[in-house]
Amino acid sequence: MTRVLKIGGSILTDKRRDAAARPEEIRRVAEEIASSPEDLVLVHGAGSFGHIPARRYGLPESFSPEGLLQTHKSVARLNDLVVEALSRAGASPMPVHPLSCTLLKDGRIEALAVKPLREMVRDGLLPVLHGDVAMDASRKAGIVSGDQLVPYIARALGADVVAVGTDVDGVLVSGSPIAEMTRADLASLEGALGGSTGVDVTGGMKGKLLELLDLADDGIGSVIFNASREGNISRALMGEHLGTRVRAI
Ligand code: IP8
């Protein structure tokens, strides 16, 4: 059994302020994950460590070595905080930086080295990836969102559990989470889907949903749940259907 969990950057950071970590939340998230760390790949969002520098340097539209380096260094710092917290909580995390193992084409993942991830999981380690900058074969460099990493890795590893933790209770329609979502619901809900709090250069809730609907089309369902509510991460890791379940038609 393989599980892929994403924790949104809005949980781990204050997305309105540059490089503003939320240490208490990082510790809580790490402890929940460390209670069930086996057969798991963790992906976390970049939060204000990524979206604010990316916007400052005009990524992904304008390429600059400095913009790329500073944005990567910033998201790697958040990754370091998450990895540290997981170690302290008793898990065996391994940082995996997408910049070093991913190639994009037109902004989409063209290749990602999944074999090391598989090997890590097999050996009892917990790979920890994150939203990052990455080289793009068609336009120098781009941004790889955690929301794109999750389905790619889930497909490659044939994940049984895919859970995407955000700071809301799921896909909200008129303020309330809907229990299930399929591609057929997309058109009617389009106008109602919210963006993201703070600065977000990778698409908010709609971007997430489109990725997960594609994944569902390939036979892998997922849940979008509220990871800021204590206990929800542990429940999602056990495969519970919290929040909104994204499934095939
Ligand atoms: O927060 C975005 O990753 P996300 C990565 O997972 C950057 O969408 C560098 C903004």
Side-chain angles (χ1 to χ4, degrees), residues 143-240:
I143 290 180
V144 57
S145 170
D147 293 333
Q148 204 188 140
L149 292 165
V150 166
Y152 189 98
I153 294 167
R155 275 187 197 96
L157 300 183
D160 314 276
V161 172
V162 178
V164 173
T166 69
D167 62 351
V168 289
D169 287 328
V171 177
L172 302 182
V173 175
S174 309
S176 305
I178 51 171
E180 273 196 356
M181 168 98 200
T182 69
R183 191 173 289 287
D185 304 316
L186 193 60
S188 60
L189 296 182
E190 196 115 28
L193 296 177
S196 171
T197 42
V199 180
D200 194 312
V201 296
T202 53
M205 182 58 85
K206 188 168 173 210
K208 241 178 269 310
L209 255 180
L210 294 175
E211 298 287 355
L212 295 177
L213 286 169
D214 282 350
L215 183 64
D217 288 344
D218 291 342
I220 301 181
S222 57
V223 294
I224 299 176
F225 72 99
N226 193 339
S228 69
R229 294 191 194 279
E230 209 164 328
N232 270 2
I233 295 173
S234 315
R235 291 169 62 197
L237 282 174
M238 290 189 307
E240 224 178 280

Side-chain angles (χ1 to χ4, degrees), residues 6 9 15 43-47 49-52 54 59 71 75 130-133 143-147 200-203:
K6 179 178 176 213
K15 280 185 92 168
V43 177
H44 65 78
F49 287 72
H51 293 269
I52 290 181
L59 293 170
T71 307
V75 292
H130 53 90
D132 201 352
V133 288
I143 290 180
V144 57
S145 170
D147 293 333
D200 194 312
V201 296
T202 53

